[in-house]
Amino acid sequence: KMRIKGIPVGVIAAHGLGIIFAEAARKATEWIIRCSQEKIPLLFVQSSPGYMVGSESEHMGIGKYGADMVRAVSCAQVPKVQLVIGPDNGAANYGMCGRAYRPHFLFSVMRARTSVMSGRSAAEVLLSIEERKRVSAGRPMNTEEKDAFRRQMVEKYDGEAHPFYCAARLLNDRVLKLYEIRDWLGMAFEVSLLKPIGDPSFGNLRF
């Protein structure tokens, strides 16, 4: 919890590599619910490429706790502001209050990259699909074709993830310079709080 221009704000922020683990998703869900009950606005500082995958994470409950986090974000009635400062990919975009979850304001910095997946990941996934298609058609890809296809996908996905590309399509409200962040966040929360905050309604969440 912190204050921005004197306004108390609950903060949910990615750290380190930014991957969201099961325990982090659980803590975030509990914090979102608590802030909603106390009618404290939420700031999501997004720098996460996604939720952790793998059998170990599945056994730890990443499916359940990740879904709980997304549900809490969707149901939170307090003002929500997202600030994207790094990778913003896949399901983490939902869990960290991306555009689909209607944040009151969504800001990016120049290092932000918003897409379904990173250019490198997209290139490898799409290349494997293209390879299978070409083999089925009797025209397997050679090394040069694979490299060219990979470069094309990296350029496409990385280019469309750029904050200016997103801003041109109204997917963020402003691309901020670092020294502007505090002033714009203060303005965003001040404007968002002009409307009275309703009572929380999360239904039954079992931790």
Side-chain angles (χ1 to χ4, degrees):
K1 186 175 177 181
M2 63 182 289
R3 289 181 179 269
I4 298 177
K5 300 290 186 177
I7 301 170
V9 175
V11 181
I12 296 94
H15 65 88
L17 293 175
I19 299 171
I20 302 173
F21 291 85
E23 185 59 29
R26 180 177 181 175
K27 287 175 64 177
T29 302
E30 293 172 351
W31 181 236
I32 292 165
I33 292 173
R34 179 177 173 183
C35 288
S36 294
Q37 291 170 340
E38 297 182 13
K39 299 189 176 181
I40 298 171
L42 291 167
L43 170 63
F44 294 84
V45 183
Q46 163 62 333
S47 181
S48 175
Y51 287 87
M52 190 62 187
V53 297
S55 59
E56 183 178 351
S57 292
E58 292 297 332
H59 287 302
M60 292 178 67
I62 188 62
K64 170 184 164 30
Y65 296 127
D68 284 347
M69 181 177 171
V70 172
R71 176 179 172 185
V73 170
S74 178
C75 294
Q77 86 290 3
V78 296
K80 297 172 287 188
V81 174
Q82 188 195 49
L83 173 65
V84 184
I85 63 171
D88 177 26
N89 306 131
N93 176 271
Y94 295 153
M96 293 296 286
C97 200
R99 177 57 71 195
Y101 286 78
R102 298 182 180 178
H104 286 64
F105 290 89
L106 195 164
F107 301 120
S108 297
V109 301
M110 283 301 296
R111 292 182 62 186
R113 293 295 183 272
T114 300
S115 62
V116 175
M117 60 182 75
S118 69
R120 186 189 303 176
S121 298
E124 295 304 324
V125 171
L126 294 173
L127 176 59
S128 66
I129 295 171
E130 184 67 17
E131 281 185 288
R132 287 196 294 269
K133 285 171 58 179
R134 294 281 293 271
V135 168
S136 298
R139 296 181 292 108
M141 301 175 77
N142 58 37
T143 302
E144 290 76 14
E145 289 175 325
K146 290 179 184 179
D147 290 342
F149 184 90
R150 189 180 286 112
R151 283 195 303 272
Q152 182 183 1
M153 291 300 103
V154 168
E155 291 174 3
K156 171 181 168 59
Y157 275 79
D158 285 348
E160 293 179 0
H162 195 281
F164 286 172
Y165 184 96
C166 295
R169 287 149 185 82
L170 304 181
L171 298 177
N172 63 44
D173 296 307
R174 185 178 174 89
V175 180
L176 299 177
K177 299 175 183 176
L178 295 181
Y179 67 82
E180 297 178 319
I181 290 175
R182 189 173 183 84
D183 288 337
W184 277 89
L185 290 180
M187 177 278 297
F189 284 114
E190 185 176 359
V191 169
S192 298
L193 287 167
L194 293 175
K195 182 179 179 181
I197 299 173
D199 295 325
S201 178
F202 291 99
N204 292 323
L205 279 174
R206 302 180 68 179
F207 296 107

